[in-house]
Amino acid sequence: MIKAILIFNNHGKPRLSKFYQPYSEDTQQQIIRETFHLVSKRDENVCNFLEGGLLIGGSDNKLIYRHYATLYFVFCVDSSESELGILDLIQVFVETLDKCFENVCELDLIFHVDKVHNILAEMVMGGMVLETNMNEIVTQIDAQNKLEKSEDQGGTDGSTGRWLSLRSEHEERLGVRRHFAALCFKAKLPCVSP
């Protein structure tokens, strides 16, 4: 299970933090600092996973990360997750960001944090992986963008019915994904989205 997803720059400034376990605000900040110190001091030539810090759970957990330009993408996971699977998930996340923002950079994460969280919510919910197909994720994000544009226009162009249809379709998909993820979690199976 994924416990946290952290993105910070080369100076340790958090650009995104999503925790799937309850931690106090102070503990979250300490986890971010500790994770940055563990990851940033590693050489570029070593593997991209290491034992988790004491605050995130110690040796029972792993930090899996990738360093792209000025950003570190770090997934804090328990021992049941595959290191290579999470590295692939990070790659899909970055490629999806790149596709949605057309050459993503650190400023996109700062100024469009809501869109980044939406992309992440399409991929991971409650610490369980929902979707790894980049094209499917982008399709859902595009549908959300259409909904927002339609909402901003007030539906005056006759698209209100289509907007409601897209919204209910999206909510239905999320309901199916949540149900599927819950079943996988109960059965302790790896979750591959239907």
Side-chain angles (χ1 to χ4, degrees), residues 2-43:
I2 299 171
K3 295 194 169 204
I5 298 173
L6 309 172
I7 302 175
F8 40 78
N9 68 12
N10 290 339
H11 304 291
K13 300 269 191 225
R15 298 304 180 208
L16 177 133
S17 61
K18 180 70 176 169
F19 289 87
Y20 297 102
Q21 299 284 316
Y23 296 107
S24 69
E25 185 72 30
D26 290 338
T27 305
Q28 288 180 10
Q29 294 302 316
Q30 290 173 345
I31 288 170
I32 292 169
R33 277 193 299 275
E34 180 185 44
T35 303
F36 172 73
H37 288 296
L38 287 170
V39 170
S40 65
K41 70 180 180 182
R42 290 175 60 89
D43 190 30

Side-chain angles (χ1 to χ4, degrees), residues 31-171:
I31 288 170
I32 292 169
R33 277 193 299 275
E34 180 185 44
T35 303
F36 172 73
H37 288 296
L38 287 170
V39 170
S40 65
K41 70 180 180 182
R42 290 175 60 89
D43 190 30
E44 291 289 325
N45 300 331
V46 298
C47 72
N48 290 16
F49 30 93
L50 66 147
E51 193 174 280
L54 294 175
L55 293 171
I56 198 75
S59 63
D60 293 338
N61 295 298
K62 298 176 270 193
L63 300 176
I64 302 169
Y65 70 96
R66 293 288 301 263
H67 186 207
Y68 295 95
T70 63
L71 294 171
Y72 287 94
F73 290 76
V74 183
F75 281 52
C76 307
V77 301
D78 63 19
S79 57
S80 68
E81 293 290 339
S82 163
E83 291 95 346
L84 296 177
I86 296 296
L87 279 176
D88 187 48
L89 185 64
I90 294 171
Q91 183 69 30
V92 169
F93 183 41
V94 171
E95 286 179 13
T96 304
L97 289 172
D98 200 47
K99 199 166 188 178
C100 289
F101 289 110
E102 299 172 8
N103 247 350
V104 68
C105 67
E106 186 174 348
L107 290 175
D108 290 321
L109 301 181
I110 295 169
F111 293 117
H112 303 288
V113 69
D114 55 337
K115 190 171 183 180
V116 175
H117 277 281
N118 286 341
I119 293 168
L120 189 59
E122 286 294 325
M123 298 178 68
V124 178
M125 185 173 292
M128 302 296 288
V129 178
L130 297 178
E131 185 66 66
T132 58
N133 183 336
M134 182 177 56
N135 293 326
E136 184 64 32
I137 296 164
V138 170
T139 300
Q140 293 302 317
I141 295 301
D142 287 344
Q144 286 178 9
N145 290 339
K146 286 178 186 176
L147 288 175
E148 288 174 4
K149 285 181 183 176
S150 174
E151 225 174 45
D152 290 343
Q153 295 173 355
T156 57
D157 61 354
S159 63
T160 305
R162 178 68 182 137
W163 179 84
L164 291 173
S165 171
L166 282 172
R167 184 178 180 110
S168 65
E169 181 181 316
H170 178 69
E171 288 172 351

